[in-house]
Each structure stands twice: as C-alpha cells, then as structure tokens.
Amino acid sequence: LAAAMVPANGLGATEIPASIMGGGTDHWPFHQAGVPATAASQEAVDYHTHTHHSQVDTLDHVVKEDLVQGAQVMAATAWGLLNGERIPHHPAAKGR
C-alpha cells in the first residue's frame, strides 16, 4: 500500500495505519471477506471529541479544504493501486 500511496505523498499522505480497524467500522466487512481494506485518517482537530456520530455531525462542521484533500488523496492512491502491484489478500473469515 505504501508504494500505491506514492502519488499522494505530495498531498501530505505519507502514513498508513499499522492496525486493522476492528469490528463495527465500515471497513470490517471487507476485511472479514478477505478483501484488503484500510482507513484513511486526517488530523481530526476536535471532530472525535464531540461531533462524530452526534446530533451536531452535520455538513456545517465539514472543513472544505480537508474534504478536498481527502478526495485528492483517495484519487491519487486509487491511481497508484491501478498502476501497481496487486495488494496481498488474506483468507476470508470462516463462515463467509
């Protein structure tokens, strides 16, 4: 994944989470099915302290520059994935 992220390095995306997100995240079903998945994170400022998944988690709390940067990083990383080596897969969880 680090190699695929190279096109996004200039946008500030230089780190990859070292751990797999646990159950309950949007990424967990992919992990359980054996599909490589990770989460992109930005500096959250105070988003996770009082806004995230609360009644004030509304569009007026979106920081436009962060949203644009996130979209650019995702697009650049997708480009890197399309033009690089396949990410290793792991076996699906039993019962899948």
Side-chain angles (χ1 to χ4, degrees), residues 1-11 13-16 36 38 72-88:
L1 189 55
M5 285 186 64
V6 168
N9 289 166
L11 297 167
T14 57
E15 296 181 26
I16 301 167
T38 188
Q72 291 171 333
V73 167
M74 290 177 70
T77 302
W79 181 261
L81 288 168
L82 288 168
N83 292 291
E85 293 185 32
R86 186 171 188 244
I87 296 176

Side-chain angles (χ1 to χ4, degrees), residues 34-90:
V35 177
T38 188
S41 300
Q42 289 177 300
E43 189 172 331
V45 188
D46 65 354
Y47 181 70
H48 288 287
T49 59
H50 70 277
T51 306
H52 186 66
H53 289 184
S54 73
Q55 68 274 18
V56 294
D57 195 355
T58 56
L59 285 175
D60 58 318
H61 287 90
V62 171
V63 178
K64 180 181 177 183
E65 294 79 15
D66 291 348
L67 184 64
V68 169
Q69 180 200 31
Q72 291 171 333
V73 167
M74 290 177 70
T77 302
W79 181 261
L81 288 168
L82 288 168
N83 292 291
E85 293 185 32
R86 186 171 188 244
I87 296 176
H89 288 56
H90 60 275

